[in-house]
Amino acid sequence: MRDGPPPDGDLARLSREFAYTCDGDGTITWMDARAERLLGMRPGDVLLALAVHGEEEKIARFLRAALNGPTEAWELAQVARGVPRTLAVWAKPYVHGVLVVGNVLADSYGP
């Protein structure tokens, strides 16, 4: 016996993945609904302004690397909806900036 697809919204509520694009200075130019829901991002937000204090240079290095070619996973600390969160992100050059995909890492794991 096969199950049918999950109810609408269940996958979106459980998902911790997101995607966004930004220009070379880190200004958000587009994001999917999950980035908005999970991270509270809006077009025009600037990644460096969303960095956890002390992480600005790391985010700037990430952007420079992504502008020059595909990146492997980077771990970034960013304020998301007012709370510091750890993100795992991958990126590549895209149009006039960078395409970023990633996920929000769990604060803790259950038993």
Side-chain angles (χ1 to χ4, degrees):
M1 183 164 140
R2 291 180 50 168
D3 289 340
D8 288 345
D10 280 357
L11 291 176
R13 279 189 294 280
L14 292 173
S15 176
R16 296 295 173 252
E17 295 82 22
F18 57 83
Y20 63 85
T21 60
C22 62
D23 65 17
D25 294 324
T27 301
I28 304 298
T29 55
W30 170 87
M31 76 277 173
D32 67 4
R34 295 170 300 179
E36 184 175 351
R37 178 177 60 84
L38 294 168
L39 306 176
M41 288 181 156
R42 300 280 190 273
D45 287 350
V46 179
L47 286 179
L48 294 178
L50 299 173
V52 169
H53 180 70
E55 291 287 307
E56 297 87 357
E57 178 54 35
K58 185 174 184 181
I59 290 177
R61 285 194 326 267
F62 167 73
L63 286 172
R64 287 192 300 271
L67 285 166
N68 288 309
T71 68
E72 293 299 319
W74 281 62
E75 187 176 286
L76 302 178
Q78 181 177 315
V79 176
R81 297 200 167 278
V83 178
R85 300 301 305 257
T86 302
L87 311 177
V89 294
W90 295 256
K92 64 172 273 188
Y94 181 77
V95 189
H96 301 291
V98 175
L99 168 63
V100 178
V101 297
N103 59 332
V104 178
L105 300 180
D107 291 328
S108 62
Y109 296 92

